[in-house]
Amino acid sequence: MPFLPRRARFHDVQDESVPEAVTRSSPERQAKALELARFAARIAEENRARDIELLDLRQSTPLFDYFVVITAPSRRQANAIISEIDHEMKQRQEQKLGIEGSEEGRWTLIDYGDFVVHVFSDEARDFYAIEDIWGDATRLDWRAETAPDSIPAPDPAPAPDSPPQGD
């Protein structure tokens, strides 16, 4: 057998992927996630964050809807931003699913389920280039107060009593 990297011997190099994420079932939930993501971005701005981006990932992945990407000028400022976002989300009864990376201070991820906040140091933001990895994501105006018209309406479900549609 010719030499193949370990991963290639046991798995396909890349699984086939669906070009678009699955349709979301709740526009209200998406609107709330967008509202909270924008709120997190504004909190970060109030706490001296820089280069704030809001990425719409609904067409890229079924795992989450939005990324808030932030650069903190210092480790101390990153901790203040993270703490303030966490505090304000708790005030709104939004529970985080997890937080990763806060020990190192280079990249902290706060997962709220439908949206994720990434707080980077300058060096980590350049190194990981998360906006390039998710380059097909639409950048949204996080300062806007209303949800964009791009939130898709749910697919209409057939009424329970209606007969199936045939060809």
Side-chain angles (χ1 to χ4, degrees), residues 86-103:
D86 187 45
H87 173 76
E88 290 296 329
M89 291 300 164
K90 283 179 183 174
Q91 294 294 315
R92 286 162 177 72
Q93 280 77 47
E94 291 299 320
Q95 297 298 315
K96 67 180 175 279
L97 299 179
I99 186 166
E100 297 292 330
S102 58
E103 302 290 321

Side-chain angles (χ1 to χ4, degrees), residues 84-147:
E84 191 64 23
I85 289 172
D86 187 45
H87 173 76
E88 290 296 329
M89 291 300 164
K90 283 179 183 174
Q91 294 294 315
R92 286 162 177 72
Q93 280 77 47
E94 291 299 320
Q95 297 298 315
K96 67 180 175 279
L97 299 179
I99 186 166
E100 297 292 330
S102 58
E103 302 290 321
E104 297 83 24
R106 290 177 31 93
W107 177 8
T108 302
L109 178 147
I110 314 168
D111 183 354
Y112 287 99
D114 293 329
F115 72 98
V116 177
V117 179
H118 298 268
V119 182
F120 287 99
S121 68
D122 284 317
E123 300 81 25
R125 179 118 181 221
D126 290 340
F127 180 79
Y128 291 106
I130 197 165
E131 294 97 336
D132 293 338
I133 293 170
W134 296 97
D136 58 341
T138 303
R139 268 86 171 144
L140 300 177
D141 179 7
W142 56 269
R143 290 180 174 93
E145 294 295 324
T146 58

Side-chain angles (χ1 to χ4, degrees), residues 35-96:
E35 175 189 333
L36 291 170
R38 285 181 167 148
F39 183 61
R42 287 192 292 274
I43 292 168
E45 181 185 46
E46 291 170 3
N47 284 276
R48 300 184 187 156
R50 298 188 317 252
D51 304 323
I52 301 168
E53 294 276 351
L54 176 57
L55 305 179
D56 181 347
L57 296 163
R58 292 175 295 154
Q59 295 303 312
S60 302
T61 179
L63 299 176
F64 34 74
D65 294 334
Y66 303 101
F67 271 177
V68 180
V69 184
I70 299 162
T71 300
S74 68
R75 186 175 181 172
R76 182 176 180 183
Q77 206 63 42
N79 289 336
I81 292 166
I82 294 160
S83 176
E84 191 64 23
I85 289 172
D86 187 45
H87 173 76
E88 290 296 329
M89 291 300 164
K90 283 179 183 174
Q91 294 294 315
R92 286 162 177 72
Q93 280 77 47
E94 291 299 320
Q95 297 298 315
K96 67 180 175 279

